[in-house]
Amino acid sequence: ERVRGGQISKEKTTLQAATFDTRSGKRLLGLGDLEGAISQFRAAIALVPTYAPAHFHLAEALQRKGETKEARAEFQRAAELDPQLKPQLP
């Protein structure tokens, strides 16, 4: 039981880190730093591959950069993970 508690704590900490990276990426995206934002969103996804908001915002950044094929794939992944995150395809 104690191992499970440690596992839950680790997962929570990892999710908090992914959330932080995603917020940081959104801030950079707002400042127009596409490369910095993409890096932050990818870091969040590396921590928690199923974190839908990171995929969604990565897709937005990729779309703004003109990488529409990869953006479409990330929008699709975000929608699979969280159906409320609908892609905004051009």
Side-chain angles (χ1 to χ4, degrees), residues 68-84:
T68 53
K69 188 175 180 186
E70 192 179 354
R72 196 167 290 127
E74 288 297 330
F75 275 130
Q76 180 82 36
R77 182 73 177 126
E80 288 168 4
L81 292 167
D82 182 350
Q84 292 188 332

Side-chain angles (χ1 to χ4, degrees), residues 19-59:
T19 302
F20 178 83
D21 285 343
T22 301
R23 278 197 200 118
S24 179
K26 284 172 64 177
R27 187 175 52 76
L28 291 170
L29 188 58
L31 295 171
D33 181 357
L34 294 179
E35 291 303 323
I38 288 168
S39 175
Q40 289 297 302
F41 299 137
R42 290 194 195 281
I45 291 166
L47 287 169
V48 183
T50 57
Y51 188 55
H55 286 280
F56 185 82
H57 295 299
L58 173 59

Side-chain angles (χ1 to χ4, degrees), residues 4-14:
R4 183 74 186 124
Q7 181 71 24
I8 291 169
S9 178
K10 183 179 183 297
E11 288 171 11
K12 190 174 179 186
T13 301
T14 303

